[in-house]
Amino acid sequence: MTRGNQHRIDPAKKQAEQSMLLARIGRIVMAVLLLAGFSGGAWWLNRTLVVSEWTVTAPEPIKQAIESRLQAMQVRDFLHTRPGALREQWLGEIPDMDDVQIVRQLPHAMRITAVARTPAALWQDEQNRLHLFDSNGHVYRMLAKDESPDLPLLRVREEQLPAMHRLLQALLAQQVHTLSELSEIHAGSNDWKLYFSRGAAWLLPQHADEKITIDAMVSLLSQPRWRQGQWSVDTRIESRWFIRPAGHGGII
């Protein structure tokens, strides 16, 4: 009877493998402990840095909107009062606010500075609803029933609003007519019709450079012959402009 050969494991190799296994287990345990410690520390820090006081610098309606949102928050810990997250949320919820800066003052305070939009006009959409249009060219909310701002009315299609913004900016850059004197802008088939106070009106081609056309009109109306009156100006024919006294039909 013969005995089968048995493979003998080198004790040194076995010990080395056991040492490697123990080292791996040690690293895993250490990582778990560090993670648990970090999580516990983060939880403690998050609960410790609770916002309990704040200052808001903003126009009154926006200040009230921010105050009400802060007071309504059930949890104002560090995680829920991250400036970036609050800024994004409030900009989406408060349409009259153009921008807001939020600074945490550790451990428990927060400083908030908000800027309101500047309405430049009213836009009448295809359903005859009125919206506020700001100085940056954005339609930002519908007009409330109890609001009656003294703003020019834009009777144009939605896709024409960028052109309206350029037109308003060109008008602002000049001093012949201010926006307070502008009553309405209508979009014709190929032209813009601008109606001002005291009967003045401008007819501009739609596909021309608004700034070039308005600059040329301002230069013309600044001449001594036209400086004192109120005029209706038709610039739709590039080679010949028509100037009429405001409220009259005769061509000068």
Side-chain angles (χ1 to χ4, degrees):
M1 180 174 178
T2 60
R3 180 180 296 176
N5 294 331
Q6 294 182 353
H7 178 68
R8 299 184 60 190
I9 300 175
D10 186 352
K13 182 178 180 181
K14 184 176 181 180
Q15 185 176 2
E17 290 176 348
Q18 290 176 343
S19 297
M20 290 176 62
L21 178 61
L22 289 173
R24 187 177 299 121
I25 293 172
R27 288 195 295 271
I28 293 173
V29 171
M30 182 61 67
V32 170
L33 291 175
L34 286 173
L35 180 60
F38 176 79
S39 299
W43 178 87
W44 175 84
L45 187 64
N46 182 55
R47 299 294 294 176
T48 300
L49 300 179
V50 173
V51 173
S52 58
E53 58 185 77
W54 55 82
T55 58
V56 181
T57 303
E60 195 57 35
I62 295 176
K63 181 177 180 180
Q64 292 177 3
I66 293 174
E67 291 273 7
S68 65
R69 280 162 174 77
L70 286 169
Q71 292 169 1
M73 292 179 67
Q74 296 183 351
V75 180
R76 290 193 292 269
D77 57 20
F78 187 83
L79 181 63
H80 288 83
T81 56
R82 288 170 296 144
L86 285 180
R87 180 179 184 274
E88 183 178 355
Q89 176 186 343
W90 292 346
L91 285 175
E93 294 177 351
I94 308 174
D96 288 302
M97 185 169 66
D98 187 50
D99 199 7
V100 59
Q101 300 298 324
I102 304 169
V103 179
R104 284 297 310 265
Q105 296 176 312
L106 300 179
H108 303 301
M110 187 160 56
R111 186 175 72 250
I112 303 160
T113 305
V115 180
R117 293 181 187 269
T118 302
L122 297 174
W123 172 55
Q124 181 176 321
D125 65 19
E126 295 181 358
Q127 288 75 43
N128 294 323
R129 297 172 301 188
L130 294 178
H131 306 255
L132 286 169
F133 181 81
D134 73 9
S135 57
N136 293 318
H138 301 129
V139 174
Y140 58 98
R141 69 169 171 85
M142 290 183 63
L143 190 69
K145 291 183 178 180
D146 58 347
E147 289 182 293
S148 56
D150 185 15
L151 296 170
L153 178 63
L154 309 179
R155 299 180 186 271
V156 303
R157 298 189 303 275
E158 185 172 4
E159 62 269 21
Q160 295 173 315
L161 288 173
M164 283 297 93
H165 181 238
R166 293 193 300 270
L167 193 59
L168 292 173
Q169 291 298 107
L171 284 170
L172 280 172
Q174 300 295 342
Q175 300 298 323
V176 172
H177 288 293
T178 64
L179 287 186
S180 63
E181 296 176 307
L182 178 62
S183 175
E184 297 184 8
I185 299 181
H186 290 208
S189 55
N190 294 299
D191 54 37
W192 308 118
K193 299 178 176 66
L194 285 67
Y195 298 99
F196 297 92
S197 61
R198 299 190 294 274
W202 291 357
L203 276 73
L204 312 178
Q206 278 192 16
H207 302 294
D209 187 300
E210 299 88 356
K211 186 177 186 307
I212 292 176
T213 303
I214 290 176
D215 287 352
M217 290 177 62
V218 168
S219 177
L220 176 66
L221 295 176
S222 298
Q223 295 177 13
R225 183 180 180 184
W226 317 109
R227 190 179 299 160
Q228 300 303 321
Q230 294 294 321
W231 310 101
S232 292
V233 186
D234 186 344
T235 68
R236 291 174 295 180
I237 300 176
E238 184 177 356
S239 60
R240 182 178 177 84
W241 288 5
F242 299 94
I243 303 178
R244 302 174 177 88
H248 295 78
I251 298 175
I252 296 179

